[in-house]
Amino acid sequence: MLKVGLTGGIGSGKSTVSGILRGLGARIIDADVLAREVLEPGKQAFTETICLFGKRILGSDGRIDRKALANIVFKDQEKRKLLEGIVHPRVFEEEARIVAGIEATEPDAVIFFDAALLIEAGVHSRMDKVVLVWCSPVTQLERLVKRCGLSDADALLRLNAQMPLEEKKRYATHLIDNDGSLEGTERQVRALYRELKQIDF
């Protein structure tokens, strides 16, 4: 089994690459999906998060309003770290459980752990390979403003809350340049997946 960390920065196009890989038949474990699950009502992480931030982050359905929570933590580094301390350990426990299940039935599988904060959380050290989806800071900013409807100032707050992509390059074994066309990105992803599947592990 080969464990591959798939990471990037907000607006870099990591989700696009993950979708292409899934279409090629890759096994994907999405950290963002796991984070949503561990923050469901009734879960311990949900209770701890409400104790930390209060009921102001709850939506009308009784679930955590992720947008309201993001508006708080992207403006307060200390609160963001506290939230990560609640959520990350639960996400990584779930990731390990899923990996063990796949390994038991597909010992030759190539598994991608799709996580924006893979490097910041130190999880990259547990991966056999690390794939970084890269684009220029200008492209990141443009995508954030267009996709999320954020102001330039709010988009910059979110960008500055993460490790710069240039710094993340130091930890990557493979790069996907997503600064160009979708077709160009698809070609790179297909070549990468072929290469990884050929690794003798």
Side-chain angles (χ1 to χ4, degrees):
M1 183 183 68
L2 191 70
K3 292 190 297 182
V4 183
L6 175 64
T7 193
I10 188 167
S12 68
K14 178 178 60 64
S15 296
T16 297
V17 170
S18 182
I20 296 169
L21 285 166
R22 186 176 280 108
L24 293 173
R27 299 301 298 263
I28 308 289
I29 302 173
D30 190 327
D32 194 50
V33 170
L34 297 183
R36 288 176 185 269
E37 291 175 356
V38 303
L39 285 173
E40 282 291 306
K43 300 287 183 70
Q44 184 63 32
F46 174 89
T47 302
E48 292 178 14
T49 302
I50 298 304
C51 285
L52 179 61
F53 294 97
K55 292 186 177 181
R56 60 181 171 153
I57 63 168
L58 290 177
S60 58
D61 59 358
R63 288 181 160 80
I64 290 174
D65 182 333
R66 287 167 61 93
K67 185 175 181 180
L69 185 56
N71 285 337
I72 296 170
V73 299
F74 281 114
K75 295 175 182 175
D76 189 323
Q77 184 175 358
E78 182 178 344
K79 288 181 179 177
R80 190 176 75 251
K81 292 295 183 185
L82 289 171
L83 177 65
E84 290 172 356
I86 293 170
V87 175
H88 286 180
R90 272 72 177 221
V91 167
F92 301 145
E93 285 173 9
E94 283 299 297
E95 178 256 337
R97 182 186 62 78
I98 295 169
V99 166
I102 295 173
E103 186 174 20
T105 57
E106 300 177 50
D108 296 333
V110 178
I111 303 171
F112 290 85
F113 183 41
D114 176 349
L117 300 180
L118 184 89
I119 295 168
E120 291 92 327
V123 185
H124 65 287
S125 61
R126 295 199 283 107
M127 300 291 136
D128 300 307
K129 304 290 182 182
V130 174
V131 176
L132 173 66
V133 183
W134 180 92
C135 70
S136 70
V138 171
T139 300
Q140 275 187 286
L141 183 62
E142 288 175 350
R143 287 174 179 166
L144 270 181
V145 170
K146 183 177 180 180
R147 184 186 70 191
C148 302
L150 298 174
S151 66
D152 285 357
D154 283 341
L156 283 170
L157 271 177
R158 299 195 179 199
L159 285 175
N160 293 334
Q162 295 185 351
M163 182 186 296
L165 292 178
E166 281 297 323
E167 188 174 346
K168 288 188 177 187
K169 282 183 179 181
R170 298 192 292 112
Y171 300 90
T173 57
H174 297 77
L175 292 177
I176 296 293
D177 183 345
N178 193 38
D179 217 32
S181 67
L182 178 59
E183 292 77 11
T185 298
E186 287 179 345
R187 284 194 297 271
Q188 294 175 71
V189 175
R190 288 178 182 277
L192 169 70
Y193 190 50
R194 284 196 302 269
E195 177 185 339
L196 293 176
K197 284 178 67 69
Q198 290 170 0
I199 293 176
D200 185 8
F201 51 87

